């Protein structure tokens, strides 16, 4: 689909500026360096009682790109592969 853009999480955390520039180009927005800094905008997110939002104001943690290897059980991984196929 020429109106969609596929972004791999691994690419986003390892090369956030490159990926964000690509996203901006795709949607016709101007890239701004501030897009890479979530420290101020992260304070505006209500993360109380929402654990997955707790680190929104912190910098990008590239180690999370492969966290699933250690954290996803074998059965969950098989289920995800069956559901998602080669996507």
């Amino acid at each position: 689909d020429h109106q969609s853009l596929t972004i791999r999480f691994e690419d986003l955390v390892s090369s956030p500026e490159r990926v964000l520039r690509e996203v901006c180009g795709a949607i016709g927005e101007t890239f701004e360096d501030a897009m890479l800094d979530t420290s101020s905008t992260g304070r505006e997110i209500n993360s109380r009682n929402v654990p997955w939002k707790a680190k929104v104001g912190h910098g990008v943690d590239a180690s999370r790109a492969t966290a699933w290897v250690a954290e996803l059980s074998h059965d969950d991984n098989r289920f995800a592969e069956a559901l998602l196929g080669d996507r």
Side-chain angles (χ1 to χ4, degrees):
D1 181 355
H2 70 282
Q3 293 184 328
S4 66
L5 177 66
T6 300
I7 300 170
R8 290 179 23 153
F9 178 73
E10 294 86 349
D11 296 336
L12 179 61
V13 297
S14 67
S15 303
E17 182 174 343
R18 180 185 60 78
V19 173
L20 286 176
R21 285 183 182 278
E22 185 178 354
V23 169
C24 287
I27 63 173
E29 285 293 323
T30 302
F31 172 82
E32 298 177 15
D33 289 330
M35 293 175 175
L36 297 169
D37 181 13
T38 60
S39 61
S40 61
T41 55
R43 288 191 293 269
E44 298 174 22
I45 304 297
N46 180 3
S47 61
R48 191 177 53 213
N49 299 322
V50 189
W52 62 271
K53 291 183 181 179
K55 294 183 180 181
V56 72
H58 300 148
V60 173
D61 181 0
S63 72
R64 298 302 301 162
T66 57
W68 65 272
V69 175
E71 296 176 12
L72 195 65
S73 74
H74 177 71
D75 288 341
D76 286 343
N77 187 38
R78 288 184 60 201
F79 176 74
E81 287 178 351
L83 182 67
L84 300 172
D86 61 356
R87 295 182 201 159

